[in-house]
Amino acid sequence: MNFRLDGKIALVTGASYGIGFAMAKALAEAGAKIVFNDINQELVDKGLAAYKDAGIAVNGYVCNVTDEAAVAAFEKRVREDVGIVDILVNNAGIIKRAPMLEMSVEDFRQVIDIDLNGPFIMAKVFLPGMIEKGHGKIINVCSMTSELGRETIAGYASAKGGLKMLTKNICAEFGDRNIQCNGIGPGYIATPQTAPLREKGADGSPHPFDNFIINKTPAARWGTPEDLAGPAVFLASDASNFVNGHILYVDGGMLATIGKVPS
């Protein structure tokens, strides 16, 4: 029963589809009331339809997580419509791939703004409600690139490395208020965001990066959004009440090995 979330309100940002949707669905199945947001009405409507098809009652809102005033108004509306949030999942994020010397400063700043400043703003605005309730859970969706760099993702890796440290700092600052802040670090997950890395060539041959990931991962496959469901429920539930400032990597074992020797 420590894994049940009955009576809890969970807010998952950017949860219209993909990883966010899979985590929100898992939290709902564990008993939580789900709130989500996205950047525009089209995506919110897409999410509302997906949750309806899954038989999940949700409240969906348009909100830009990088706009502090908009997030404050969002928090007030959620309080009025649903109640004070118990669980905040900072999932909203983007990636822009380009060699560092070709990446514009504007693109770099946009990735940092959404992937790092957004979780900071969301936590800053929603933490007072958790303090008022006397408990709270914050789950930041980090990445293996919180630990490892790779070519073409300077902005993303910088943001996710910063998000790892924001996670630890929230733990340090609010742990004595019965608030646990942890991260989930997905490995390579098969989502629309990573679809270009799995595209087959004109002759039907696998993308070189697809081969690389499968050979580098002990599980010998890409992850799925559903692979993040159990970790999300654990970190949102009372089962993790003494787990704080931790990044739970869900990567099929990739971070545990330097990879196989090519045959």
Side-chain angles (χ1 to χ4, degrees):
M1 295 303 294
N2 282 347
F3 292 90
R4 293 296 304 172
L5 301 174
D6 301 286
K8 300 292 179 66
I9 298 168
L11 165 57
V12 186
T13 66
S16 297
Y17 62 95
I19 287 173
F21 177 83
M23 290 190 292
K25 181 173 181 288
L27 299 178
E29 289 169 351
K33 171 68 176 177
I34 303 299
V35 176
F36 78 97
N37 77 293
D38 223 310
I39 191 65
N40 58 47
Q41 191 63 52
E42 181 181 358
L43 284 172
V44 170
D45 290 343
K46 176 181 177 179
L48 289 171
Y51 288 107
K52 183 178 180 180
D53 288 345
I56 299 170
V58 298
N59 287 64
Y61 303 85
V62 175
C63 180
N64 180 350
V65 298
T66 69
D67 182 336
E68 186 174 4
V71 172
F74 175 41
E75 193 275 342
K76 181 179 179 182
R77 187 171 174 193
V78 171
R79 274 190 187 235
E80 293 170 350
D81 292 352
V82 188
I84 297 175
V85 167
D86 302 280
I87 301 156
L88 168 63
V89 183
N90 281 314
N91 165 74
I94 63 167
I95 188 169
K96 293 202 170 186
R97 297 183 180 90
M100 182 172 167
L101 297 184
E102 298 173 17
M103 187 175 201
S104 70
V105 172
E106 290 76 14
D107 280 352
F108 185 89
R109 284 179 173 149
Q110 184 184 21
V111 175
I112 297 294
D113 203 22
I114 295 171
D115 292 6
L116 179 57
N117 294 342
F120 168 78
I121 292 168
M122 291 294 298
K124 179 183 176 184
V125 170
F126 282 87
L127 271 164
M130 295 179 180
I131 293 169
E132 183 181 333
K133 270 195 165 182
H135 64 83
K137 301 279 186 177
I138 298 176
I139 302 170
N140 291 325
V141 178
C142 298
S143 166
M144 287 195 313
T145 60
S146 299
E147 302 288 343
L148 300 172
R150 186 173 70 76
E151 70 277 8
T152 76
I153 58 166
Y156 187 77
S158 299
K160 294 301 185 177
L163 186 57
K164 176 185 73 172
M165 293 312 301
L166 177 62
T167 300
K168 292 177 180 290
N169 206 80
I170 292 172
C171 159
E173 195 160 347
F174 298 98
D176 63 354
R177 309 303 289 267
N178 194 28
I179 292 168
Q180 293 82 51
C181 182
N182 294 289
I184 291 179
Y188 282 88
I189 308 296
T191 66
Q193 197 176 53
T194 59
L197 303 176
R198 301 189 308 280
E199 288 179 351
K200 294 188 181 298
D203 61 355
S205 60
H207 191 294
F209 195 82
D210 188 17
N211 268 341
F212 169 73
I213 292 303
I214 290 172
N215 290 329
K216 181 77 171 65
T217 306
R221 66 174 178 86
W222 287 69
T224 68
E226 290 70 29
D227 286 320
L228 301 170
V233 170
F234 167 64
L235 292 177
S237 73
D238 288 345
S240 62
N241 280 351
F242 205 57
V243 179
N244 210 352
H246 176 74
I247 313 299
L248 174 55
Y249 290 101
V250 185
D251 64 355
M254 184 179 281
L255 284 174
T257 176
I258 61 172
K260 295 179 180 179
V261 177
S263 56

